[in-house]
PDB file of all heavy atoms in Angstrom:
ATOM      1  N   ASP A 749       0.814  -1.212   0.000  1.00  0.00           N
ATOM      2  CA  ASP A 749       0.000   0.000   0.000  1.00  0.00           C
ATOM      3  C   ASP A 749       0.850   1.264   0.000  1.00  0.00           C
ATOM      4  O   ASP A 749       0.377   2.340  -0.407  1.00  0.00           O
ATOM      5  CB  ASP A 749      -0.929   0.017   1.227  1.00  0.00           C
ATOM      6  CG  ASP A 749      -2.051  -1.006   1.108  1.00  0.00           C
ATOM      7  OD1 ASP A 749      -2.385  -1.369  -0.049  1.00  0.00           O
ATOM      8  OD2 ASP A 749      -2.584  -1.431   2.137  1.00  0.00           O
ATOM      9  N   ALA A 750       2.090   1.158   0.471  1.00  0.00           N
ATOM     10  CA  ALA A 750       2.941   2.335   0.579  1.00  0.00           C
ATOM     11  C   ALA A 750       3.497   2.788  -0.769  1.00  0.00           C
ATOM     12  O   ALA A 750       3.969   3.918  -0.896  1.00  0.00           O
ATOM     13  CB  ALA A 750       4.111   2.046   1.528  1.00  0.00           C
ATOM     14  N   LEU A 751       3.427   1.918  -1.770  1.00  0.00           N
ATOM     15  CA  LEU A 751       3.979   2.272  -3.074  1.00  0.00           C
ATOM     16  C   LEU A 751       3.258   3.471  -3.686  1.00  0.00           C
ATOM     17  O   LEU A 751       3.862   4.286  -4.384  1.00  0.00           O
ATOM     18  CB  LEU A 751       3.919   1.071  -4.020  1.00  0.00           C
ATOM     19  CG  LEU A 751       4.734  -0.156  -3.599  1.00  0.00           C
ATOM     20  CD1 LEU A 751       4.599  -1.276  -4.627  1.00  0.00           C
ATOM     21  CD2 LEU A 751       6.203   0.219  -3.417  1.00  0.00           C
ATOM     22  N   GLY A 752       1.955   3.573  -3.427  1.00  0.00           N
ATOM     23  CA  GLY A 752       1.204   4.722  -3.929  1.00  0.00           C
ATOM     24  C   GLY A 752       1.674   6.021  -3.296  1.00  0.00           C
ATOM     25  O   GLY A 752       1.681   7.075  -3.952  1.00  0.00           O
ATOM     26  N   VAL A 753       2.090   5.967  -2.035  1.00  0.00           N
ATOM     27  CA  VAL A 753       2.604   7.160  -1.344  1.00  0.00           C
ATOM     28  C   VAL A 753       3.915   7.609  -1.989  1.00  0.00           C
ATOM     29  O   VAL A 753       4.123   8.800  -2.233  1.00  0.00           O
ATOM     30  CB  VAL A 753       2.814   6.868   0.158  1.00  0.00           C
ATOM     31  CG1 VAL A 753       3.416   8.088   0.862  1.00  0.00           C
ATOM     32  CG2 VAL A 753       1.502   6.462   0.809  1.00  0.00           C
ATOM     33  N   ILE A 754       4.783   6.651  -2.269  1.00  0.00           N
ATOM     34  CA  ILE A 754       6.070   6.985  -2.878  1.00  0.00           C
ATOM     35  C   ILE A 754       5.872   7.551  -4.285  1.00  0.00           C
ATOM     36  O   ILE A 754       6.513   8.530  -4.674  1.00  0.00           O
ATOM     37  CB  ILE A 754       6.986   5.751  -2.920  1.00  0.00           C
ATOM     38  CG1 ILE A 754       7.337   5.323  -1.494  1.00  0.00           C
ATOM     39  CG2 ILE A 754       8.254   6.027  -3.726  1.00  0.00           C
ATOM     40  CD1 ILE A 754       8.185   4.075  -1.406  1.00  0.00           C
ATOM     41  N   ALA A 755       4.957   6.932  -5.035  1.00  0.00           N
ATOM     42  CA  ALA A 755       4.677   7.428  -6.384  1.00  0.00           C
ATOM     43  C   ALA A 755       4.153   8.861  -6.328  1.00  0.00           C
ATOM     44  O   ALA A 755       4.537   9.706  -7.153  1.00  0.00           O
ATOM     45  CB  ALA A 755       3.669   6.524  -7.086  1.00  0.00           C
ATOM     46  N   ALA A 756       3.292   9.141  -5.350  1.00  0.00           N
ATOM     47  CA  ALA A 756       2.764  10.499  -5.202  1.00  0.00           C
ATOM     48  C   ALA A 756       3.861  11.461  -4.782  1.00  0.00           C
ATOM     49  O   ALA A 756       3.866  12.631  -5.184  1.00  0.00           O
ATOM     50  CB  ALA A 756       1.628  10.504  -4.173  1.00  0.00           C
ATOM     51  N   HIS A 757       4.807  10.977  -3.975  1.00  0.00           N
ATOM     52  CA  HIS A 757       5.896  11.841  -3.502  1.00  0.00           C
ATOM     53  C   HIS A 757       6.778  12.304  -4.654  1.00  0.00           C
ATOM     54  O   HIS A 757       7.364  13.390  -4.608  1.00  0.00           O
ATOM     55  CB  HIS A 757       6.745  11.078  -2.483  1.00  0.00           C
ATOM     56  CG  HIS A 757       7.459  11.968  -1.508  1.00  0.00           C
ATOM     57  ND1 HIS A 757       8.235  13.038  -1.907  1.00  0.00           N
ATOM     58  CD2 HIS A 757       7.522  11.955  -0.146  1.00  0.00           C
ATOM     59  CE1 HIS A 757       8.733  13.639  -0.841  1.00  0.00           C
ATOM     60  NE2 HIS A 757       8.316  13.010   0.235  1.00  0.00           N
ATOM     61  N   LEU A 758       6.879  11.488  -5.695  1.00  0.00           N
ATOM     62  CA  LEU A 758       7.669  11.880  -6.853  1.00  0.00           C
ATOM     63  C   LEU A 758       7.042  13.065  -7.584  1.00  0.00           C
ATOM     64  O   LEU A 758       7.704  13.737  -8.370  1.00  0.00           O
ATOM     65  CB  LEU A 758       7.828  10.698  -7.808  1.00  0.00           C
ATOM     66  CG  LEU A 758       8.656   9.534  -7.265  1.00  0.00           C
ATOM     67  CD1 LEU A 758       8.598   8.341  -8.198  1.00  0.00           C
ATOM     68  CD2 LEU A 758      10.098   9.954  -7.037  1.00  0.00           C
ATOM     69  N   GLY A 759       5.758  13.289  -7.317  1.00  0.00           N
ATOM     70  CA  GLY A 759       5.095  14.461  -7.866  1.00  0.00           C
ATOM     71  C   GLY A 759       5.193  15.651  -6.939  1.00  0.00           C
ATOM     72  O   GLY A 759       5.696  16.706  -7.312  1.00  0.00           O
ATOM     73  N   HIS A 760       4.731  15.484  -5.687  1.00  0.00           N
ATOM     74  CA  HIS A 760       4.776  16.572  -4.709  1.00  0.00           C
ATOM     75  C   HIS A 760       4.548  15.992  -3.328  1.00  0.00           C
ATOM     76  O   HIS A 760       3.784  15.030  -3.165  1.00  0.00           O
ATOM     77  CB  HIS A 760       3.706  17.628  -5.014  1.00  0.00           C
ATOM     78  CG  HIS A 760       3.941  18.938  -4.327  1.00  0.00           C
ATOM     79  ND1 HIS A 760       3.503  19.190  -3.041  1.00  0.00           N
ATOM     80  CD2 HIS A 760       4.575  20.058  -4.728  1.00  0.00           C
ATOM     81  CE1 HIS A 760       3.846  20.423  -2.690  1.00  0.00           C
ATOM     82  NE2 HIS A 760       4.500  20.968  -3.697  1.00  0.00           N
ATOM     83  N   HIS A 761       5.201  16.582  -2.318  1.00  0.00           N
ATOM     84  CA  HIS A 761       5.082  16.038  -0.960  1.00  0.00           C
ATOM     85  C   HIS A 761       3.666  16.176  -0.417  1.00  0.00           C
ATOM     86  O   HIS A 761       3.231  15.377   0.407  1.00  0.00           O
ATOM     87  CB  HIS A 761       6.085  16.719  -0.023  1.00  0.00           C
ATOM     88  CG  HIS A 761       5.729  18.121   0.346  1.00  0.00           C
ATOM     89  ND1 HIS A 761       6.101  19.212  -0.423  1.00  0.00           N
ATOM     90  CD2 HIS A 761       5.023  18.623   1.405  1.00  0.00           C
ATOM     91  CE1 HIS A 761       5.657  20.314   0.147  1.00  0.00           C
ATOM     92  NE2 HIS A 761       5.005  19.990   1.234  1.00  0.00           N
ATOM     93  N   THR A 762       2.915  17.189  -0.862  1.00  0.00           N
ATOM     94  CA  THR A 762       1.543  17.352  -0.397  1.00  0.00           C
ATOM     95  C   THR A 762       0.682  16.188  -0.866  1.00  0.00           C
ATOM     96  O   THR A 762      -0.146  15.655  -0.098  1.00  0.00           O
ATOM     97  CB  THR A 762       0.951  18.672  -0.902  1.00  0.00           C
ATOM     98  OG1 THR A 762       1.743  19.753  -0.419  1.00  0.00           O
ATOM     99  CG2 THR A 762      -0.485  18.853  -0.406  1.00  0.00           C
ATOM    100  N   ALA A 763       0.868  15.782  -2.117  1.00  0.00           N
ATOM    101  CA  ALA A 763       0.122  14.639  -2.635  1.00  0.00           C
ATOM    102  C   ALA A 763       0.470  13.373  -1.859  1.00  0.00           C
ATOM    103  O   ALA A 763      -0.415  12.558  -1.534  1.00  0.00           O
ATOM    104  CB  ALA A 763       0.430  14.454  -4.121  1.00  0.00           C
ATOM    105  N   ALA A 764       1.745  13.207  -1.545  1.00  0.00           N
ATOM    106  CA  ALA A 764       2.165  12.025  -0.788  1.00  0.00           C
ATOM    107  C   ALA A 764       1.522  12.002   0.592  1.00  0.00           C
ATOM    108  O   ALA A 764       1.047  10.955   1.053  1.00  0.00           O
ATOM    109  CB  ALA A 764       3.686  12.005  -0.669  1.00  0.00           C
ATOM    110  N   CYS A 765       1.512  13.144   1.256  1.00  0.00           N
ATOM    111  CA  CYS A 765       0.919  13.208   2.592  1.00  0.00           C
ATOM    112  C   CYS A 765      -0.586  12.971   2.545  1.00  0.00           C
ATOM    113  O   CYS A 765      -1.161  12.368   3.462  1.00  0.00           O
ATOM    114  CB  CYS A 765       1.218  14.571   3.223  1.00  0.00           C
ATOM    115  SG  CYS A 765       2.960  14.817   3.646  1.00  0.00           S
ATOM    116  N   THR A 766      -1.223  13.428   1.492  1.00  0.00           N
ATOM    117  CA  THR A 766      -2.663  13.218   1.350  1.00  0.00           C
ATOM    118  C   THR A 766      -2.979  11.740   1.177  1.00  0.00           C
ATOM    119  O   THR A 766      -3.897  11.209   1.823  1.00  0.00           O
ATOM    120  CB  THR A 766      -3.190  14.008   0.138  1.00  0.00           C
ATOM    121  OG1 THR A 766      -2.897  15.396   0.315  1.00  0.00           O
ATOM    122  CG2 THR A 766      -4.698  13.829   0.005  1.00  0.00           C
ATOM    123  N   VAL A 767      -2.223  11.071   0.307  1.00  0.00           N
ATOM    124  CA  VAL A 767      -2.424   9.628   0.113  1.00  0.00           C
ATOM    125  C   VAL A 767      -2.127   8.871   1.401  1.00  0.00           C
ATOM    126  O   VAL A 767      -2.887   7.981   1.811  1.00  0.00           O
ATOM    127  CB  VAL A 767      -1.530   9.116  -1.028  1.00  0.00           C
ATOM    128  CG1 VAL A 767      -1.626   7.597  -1.145  1.00  0.00           C
ATOM    129  CG2 VAL A 767      -1.919   9.768  -2.349  1.00  0.00           C
ATOM    130  N   ALA A 768      -1.036   9.224   2.072  1.00  0.00           N
ATOM    131  CA  ALA A 768      -0.665   8.550   3.313  1.00  0.00           C
ATOM    132  C   ALA A 768      -1.706   8.764   4.399  1.00  0.00           C
ATOM    133  O   ALA A 768      -1.974   7.866   5.204  1.00  0.00           O
ATOM    134  CB  ALA A 768       0.696   9.056   3.787  1.00  0.00           C
ATOM    135  N   SER A 769      -2.315   9.950   4.412  1.00  0.00           N
ATOM    136  CA  SER A 769      -3.331  10.252   5.424  1.00  0.00           C
ATOM    137  C   SER A 769      -4.524   9.310   5.299  1.00  0.00           C
ATOM    138  O   SER A 769      -5.028   8.787   6.305  1.00  0.00           O
ATOM    139  CB  SER A 769      -3.787  11.707   5.277  1.00  0.00           C
ATOM    140  OG  SER A 769      -4.839  11.994   6.166  1.00  0.00           O
ATOM    141  N   GLY A 770      -4.960   9.086   4.049  1.00  0.00           N
ATOM    142  CA  GLY A 770      -6.088   8.182   3.847  1.00  0.00           C
ATOM    143  C   GLY A 770      -5.763   6.754   4.248  1.00  0.00           C
ATOM    144  O   GLY A 770      -6.580   6.073   4.887  1.00  0.00           O
ATOM    145  N   LEU A 771      -4.578   6.293   3.899  1.00  0.00           N
ATOM    146  CA  LEU A 771      -4.165   4.933   4.255  1.00  0.00           C
ATOM    147  C   LEU A 771      -3.976   4.776   5.758  1.00  0.00           C
ATOM    148  O   LEU A 771      -4.284   3.721   6.332  1.00  0.00           O
ATOM    149  CB  LEU A 771      -2.870   4.576   3.522  1.00  0.00           C
ATOM    150  CG  LEU A 771      -2.974   4.486   1.990  1.00  0.00           C
ATOM    151  CD1 LEU A 771      -1.600   4.330   1.373  1.00  0.00           C
ATOM    152  CD2 LEU A 771      -3.882   3.319   1.597  1.00  0.00           C
ATOM    153  N   LEU A 772      -3.486   5.832   6.398  1.00  0.00           N
ATOM    154  CA  LEU A 772      -3.306   5.797   7.848  1.00  0.00           C
ATOM    155  C   LEU A 772      -4.652   5.753   8.553  1.00  0.00           C
ATOM    156  O   LEU A 772      -4.846   4.979   9.510  1.00  0.00           O
ATOM    157  CB  LEU A 772      -2.514   7.030   8.295  1.00  0.00           C
ATOM    158  CG  LEU A 772      -2.171   7.150   9.780  1.00  0.00           C
ATOM    159  CD1 LEU A 772      -1.244   6.015  10.206  1.00  0.00           C
ATOM    160  CD2 LEU A 772      -1.495   8.494  10.064  1.00  0.00           C
ATOM    161  N   ALA A 773      -5.593   6.565   8.090  1.00  0.00           N
ATOM    162  CA  ALA A 773      -6.929   6.598   8.702  1.00  0.00           C
ATOM    163  C   ALA A 773      -7.660   5.272   8.507  1.00  0.00           C
ATOM    164  O   ALA A 773      -8.434   4.844   9.383  1.00  0.00           O
ATOM    165  CB  ALA A 773      -7.745   7.745   8.104  1.00  0.00           C
ATOM    166  N   ALA A 774      -7.412   4.611   7.378  1.00  0.00           N
ATOM    167  CA  ALA A 774      -8.076   3.338   7.101  1.00  0.00           C
ATOM    168  C   ALA A 774      -7.393   2.163   7.793  1.00  0.00           C
ATOM    169  O   ALA A 774      -7.883   1.041   7.727  1.00  0.00           O
ATOM    170  CB  ALA A 774      -8.110   3.089   5.595  1.00  0.00           C
ATOM    171  N   GLY A 775      -6.259   2.420   8.455  1.00  0.00           N
ATOM    172  CA  GLY A 775      -5.547   1.362   9.152  1.00  0.00           C
ATOM    173  C   GLY A 775      -4.715   0.478   8.250  1.00  0.00           C
ATOM    174  O   GLY A 775      -4.224  -0.572   8.679  1.00  0.00           O
ATOM    175  N   ARG A 776      -4.521   0.897   7.010  1.00  0.00           N
ATOM    176  CA  ARG A 776      -3.742   0.075   6.077  1.00  0.00           C
ATOM    177  C   ARG A 776      -2.243   0.337   6.201  1.00  0.00           C
ATOM    178  O   ARG A 776      -1.431  -0.456   5.736  1.00  0.00           O
ATOM    179  CB  ARG A 776      -4.219   0.341   4.649  1.00  0.00           C
ATOM    180  CG  ARG A 776      -5.661  -0.100   4.440  1.00  0.00           C
ATOM    181  CD  ARG A 776      -6.220   0.368   3.106  1.00  0.00           C
ATOM    182  NE  ARG A 776      -5.503  -0.207   1.967  1.00  0.00           N
ATOM    183  CZ  ARG A 776      -5.834   0.045   0.698  1.00  0.00           C
ATOM    184  NH1 ARG A 776      -6.848   0.871   0.433  1.00  0.00           N
ATOM    185  NH2 ARG A 776      -5.146  -0.507  -0.285  1.00  0.00           N
ATOM    186  N   LEU A 777      -1.893   1.474   6.813  1.00  0.00           N
ATOM    187  CA  LEU A 777      -0.501   1.776   7.131  1.00  0.00           C
ATOM    188  C   LEU A 777      -0.422   2.240   8.577  1.00  0.00           C
ATOM    189  O   LEU A 777      -1.298   2.981   9.047  1.00  0.00           O
ATOM    190  CB  LEU A 777       0.053   2.869   6.208  1.00  0.00           C
ATOM    191  CG  LEU A 777       0.294   2.529   4.733  1.00  0.00           C
ATOM    192  CD1 LEU A 777       0.813   3.762   4.001  1.00  0.00           C
ATOM    193  CD2 LEU A 777       1.248   1.358   4.567  1.00  0.00           C
ATOM    194  N   SER A 778       0.632   1.814   9.275  1.00  0.00           N
ATOM    195  CA  SER A 778       0.855   2.273  10.643  1.00  0.00           C
ATOM    196  C   SER A 778       1.645   3.576  10.618  1.00  0.00           C
ATOM    197  O   SER A 778       2.121   4.023   9.576  1.00  0.00           O
ATOM    198  CB  SER A 778       1.631   1.214  11.426  1.00  0.00           C
ATOM    199  OG  SER A 778       2.937   1.058  10.882  1.00  0.00           O
ATOM    200  N   VAL A 779       1.775   4.197  11.801  1.00  0.00           N
ATOM    201  CA  VAL A 779       2.589   5.419  11.905  1.00  0.00           C
ATOM    202  C   VAL A 779       4.015   5.137  11.442  1.00  0.00           C
ATOM    203  O   VAL A 779       4.615   5.920  10.713  1.00  0.00           O
ATOM    204  CB  VAL A 779       2.569   5.945  13.357  1.00  0.00           C
ATOM    205  CG1 VAL A 779       3.589   7.067  13.529  1.00  0.00           C
ATOM    206  CG2 VAL A 779       1.181   6.440  13.721  1.00  0.00           C
ATOM    207  N   ARG A 780       4.549   3.992  11.867  1.00  0.00           N
ATOM    208  CA  ARG A 780       5.907   3.600  11.460  1.00  0.00           C
ATOM    209  C   ARG A 780       6.003   3.478   9.941  1.00  0.00           C
ATOM    210  O   ARG A 780       6.951   3.969   9.318  1.00  0.00           O
ATOM    211  CB  ARG A 780       6.277   2.274  12.116  1.00  0.00           C
ATOM    212  CG  ARG A 780       7.600   1.684  11.658  1.00  0.00           C
ATOM    213  CD  ARG A 780       7.791   0.298  12.275  1.00  0.00           C
ATOM    214  NE  ARG A 780       9.058  -0.322  11.872  1.00  0.00           N
ATOM    215  CZ  ARG A 780       9.221  -1.011  10.748  1.00  0.00           C
ATOM    216  NH1 ARG A 780       8.199  -1.140   9.901  1.00  0.00           N
ATOM    217  NH2 ARG A 780      10.393  -1.562  10.461  1.00  0.00           N
ATOM    218  N   ASP A 781       5.015   2.825   9.336  1.00  0.00           N
ATOM    219  CA  ASP A 781       5.022   2.638   7.883  1.00  0.00           C
ATOM    220  C   ASP A 781       5.002   3.977   7.156  1.00  0.00           C
ATOM    221  O   ASP A 781       5.710   4.163   6.164  1.00  0.00           O
ATOM    222  CB  ASP A 781       3.819   1.799   7.446  1.00  0.00           C
ATOM    223  CG  ASP A 781       3.893   0.365   7.933  1.00  0.00           C
ATOM    224  OD1 ASP A 781       5.015  -0.115   8.160  1.00  0.00           O
ATOM    225  OD2 ASP A 781       2.824  -0.253   8.095  1.00  0.00           O
ATOM    226  N   VAL A 782       4.183   4.891   7.653  1.00  0.00           N
ATOM    227  CA  VAL A 782       4.054   6.194   6.995  1.00  0.00           C
ATOM    228  C   VAL A 782       5.366   6.965   7.047  1.00  0.00           C
ATOM    229  O   VAL A 782       5.817   7.523   6.041  1.00  0.00           O
ATOM    230  CB  VAL A 782       2.918   7.016   7.649  1.00  0.00           C
ATOM    231  CG1 VAL A 782       2.969   8.475   7.182  1.00  0.00           C
ATOM    232  CG2 VAL A 782       1.568   6.406   7.316  1.00  0.00           C
ATOM    233  N   VAL A 783       5.984   6.992   8.223  1.00  0.00           N
ATOM    234  CA  VAL A 783       7.234   7.748   8.377  1.00  0.00           C
ATOM    235  C   VAL A 783       8.324   7.174   7.475  1.00  0.00           C
ATOM    236  O   VAL A 783       8.994   7.905   6.733  1.00  0.00           O
ATOM    237  CB  VAL A 783       7.695   7.736   9.849  1.00  0.00           C
ATOM    238  CG1 VAL A 783       9.083   8.367   9.977  1.00  0.00           C
ATOM    239  CG2 VAL A 783       6.693   8.489  10.721  1.00  0.00           C
ATOM    240  N   ILE A 784       8.504   5.863   7.508  1.00  0.00           N
ATOM    241  CA  ILE A 784       9.556   5.230   6.704  1.00  0.00           C
ATOM    242  C   ILE A 784       9.264   5.385   5.213  1.00  0.00           C
ATOM    243  O   ILE A 784      10.167   5.656   4.414  1.00  0.00           O
ATOM    244  CB  ILE A 784       9.690   3.748   7.086  1.00  0.00           C
ATOM    245  CG1 ILE A 784      10.263   3.631   8.507  1.00  0.00           C
ATOM    246  CG2 ILE A 784      10.570   2.991   6.090  1.00  0.00           C
ATOM    247  CD1 ILE A 784      10.333   2.220   9.047  1.00  0.00           C
ATOM    248  N   THR A 785       7.999   5.249   4.834  1.00  0.00           N
ATOM    249  CA  THR A 785       7.633   5.394   3.422  1.00  0.00           C
ATOM    250  C   THR A 785       7.905   6.804   2.921  1.00  0.00           C
ATOM    251  O   THR A 785       8.441   6.998   1.820  1.00  0.00           O
ATOM    252  CB  THR A 785       6.151   5.049   3.223  1.00  0.00           C
ATOM    253  OG1 THR A 785       5.929   3.687   3.594  1.00  0.00           O
ATOM    254  CG2 THR A 785       5.734   5.247   1.774  1.00  0.00           C
ATOM    255  N   LEU A 786       7.544   7.807   3.697  1.00  0.00           N
ATOM    256  CA  LEU A 786       7.776   9.193   3.291  1.00  0.00           C
ATOM    257  C   LEU A 786       9.270   9.490   3.185  1.00  0.00           C
ATOM    258  O   LEU A 786       9.699  10.244   2.302  1.00  0.00           O
ATOM    259  CB  LEU A 786       7.108  10.148   4.273  1.00  0.00           C
ATOM    260  CG  LEU A 786       5.587  10.223   4.197  1.00  0.00           C
ATOM    261  CD1 LEU A 786       5.042  11.113   5.312  1.00  0.00           C
ATOM    262  CD2 LEU A 786       5.112  10.734   2.844  1.00  0.00           C
ATOM    263  N   LEU A 787      10.054   8.891   4.074  1.00  0.00           N
ATOM    264  CA  LEU A 787      11.503   9.101   4.003  1.00  0.00           C
ATOM    265  C   LEU A 787      12.090   8.449   2.742  1.00  0.00           C
ATOM    266  O   LEU A 787      12.953   9.028   2.076  1.00  0.00           O
ATOM    267  CB  LEU A 787      12.179   8.547   5.259  1.00  0.00           C
ATOM    268  CG  LEU A 787      11.922   9.334   6.549  1.00  0.00           C
ATOM    269  CD1 LEU A 787      12.505   8.597   7.750  1.00  0.00           C
ATOM    270  CD2 LEU A 787      12.515  10.731   6.455  1.00  0.00           C
ATOM    271  N   PHE A 788      11.612   7.244   2.417  1.00  0.00           N
ATOM    272  CA  PHE A 788      12.047   6.612   1.167  1.00  0.00           C
ATOM    273  C   PHE A 788      11.627   7.474  -0.030  1.00  0.00           C
ATOM    274  O   PHE A 788      12.397   7.665  -0.980  1.00  0.00           O
ATOM    275  CB  PHE A 788      11.437   5.213   1.026  1.00  0.00           C
ATOM    276  CG  PHE A 788      12.281   4.117   1.617  1.00  0.00           C
ATOM    277  CD1 PHE A 788      11.755   3.240   2.551  1.00  0.00           C
ATOM    278  CD2 PHE A 788      13.601   3.946   1.224  1.00  0.00           C
ATOM    279  CE1 PHE A 788      12.523   2.212   3.100  1.00  0.00           C
ATOM    280  CE2 PHE A 788      14.383   2.917   1.763  1.00  0.00           C
ATOM    281  CZ  PHE A 788      13.842   2.063   2.697  1.00  0.00           C
ATOM    282  N   GLY A 789      10.408   7.980   0.022  1.00  0.00           N
ATOM    283  CA  GLY A 789       9.942   8.847  -1.051  1.00  0.00           C
ATOM    284  C   GLY A 789      10.782  10.099  -1.170  1.00  0.00           C
ATOM    285  O   GLY A 789      11.045  10.585  -2.281  1.00  0.00           O
ATOM    286  N   ASN A 790      11.217  10.616  -0.028  1.00  0.00           N
ATOM    287  CA  ASN A 790      12.059  11.811  -0.033  1.00  0.00           C
ATOM    288  C   ASN A 790      13.397  11.537  -0.727  1.00  0.00           C
ATOM    289  O   ASN A 790      13.912  12.391  -1.467  1.00  0.00           O
ATOM    290  CB  ASN A 790      12.294  12.266   1.407  1.00  0.00           C
ATOM    291  CG  ASN A 790      12.741  13.708   1.496  1.00  0.00           C
ATOM    292  OD1 ASN A 790      12.047  14.611   1.057  1.00  0.00           O
ATOM    293  ND2 ASN A 790      13.901  13.932   2.063  1.00  0.00           N
ATOM    294  N   VAL A 791      13.955  10.344  -0.500  1.00  0.00           N
ATOM    295  CA  VAL A 791      15.226   9.991  -1.135  1.00  0.00           C
ATOM    296  C   VAL A 791      15.057   9.853  -2.645  1.00  0.00           C
ATOM    297  O   VAL A 791      15.845  10.401  -3.433  1.00  0.00           O
ATOM    298  CB  VAL A 791      15.786   8.685  -0.542  1.00  0.00           C
ATOM    299  CG1 VAL A 791      16.992   8.205  -1.340  1.00  0.00           C
ATOM    300  CG2 VAL A 791      16.177   8.894   0.914  1.00  0.00           C
ATOM    301  N   LEU A 792      14.025   9.137  -3.079  1.00  0.00           N
ATOM    302  CA  LEU A 792      13.809   8.966  -4.510  1.00  0.00           C
ATOM    303  C   LEU A 792      13.469  10.286  -5.193  1.00  0.00           C
ATOM    304  O   LEU A 792      13.958  10.579  -6.295  1.00  0.00           O
ATOM    305  CB  LEU A 792      12.681   7.957  -4.756  1.00  0.00           C
ATOM    306  CG  LEU A 792      12.995   6.496  -4.434  1.00  0.00           C
ATOM    307  CD1 LEU A 792      11.785   5.617  -4.704  1.00  0.00           C
ATOM    308  CD2 LEU A 792      14.175   6.002  -5.263  1.00  0.00           C
TER     309      LEU A 792
END
C-alpha cells in the first residue's frame, strides 16, 4: 500500500501526505510505515 505514497511523492510532498493520510486513517498503514515510506519517497 505504501507504493502509492512513494509514487505520489515523486510528484509533490503534499500529494504524498494526502495519500498517506487516507491509508493511515483506514488502518492500512501504521505510523511507522508512513514515516519510513515518506523518508524513502524523499530519497527517490
Side-chain angles (χ1 to χ4, degrees):
D749 288 336
L751 298 180
V753 177
I754 295 177
H757 206 309
L758 294 172
H760 197 274
H761 73 273
T762 300
C765 291
T766 302
V767 174
S769 175
L771 295 172
L772 182 64
R776 295 170 63 179
L777 290 179
S778 65
V779 171
R780 174 186 180 275
D781 293 334
V782 168
V783 173
I784 291 175
T785 298
L786 287 175
L787 289 173
F788 270 126
N790 199 59
V791 171
L792 289 179

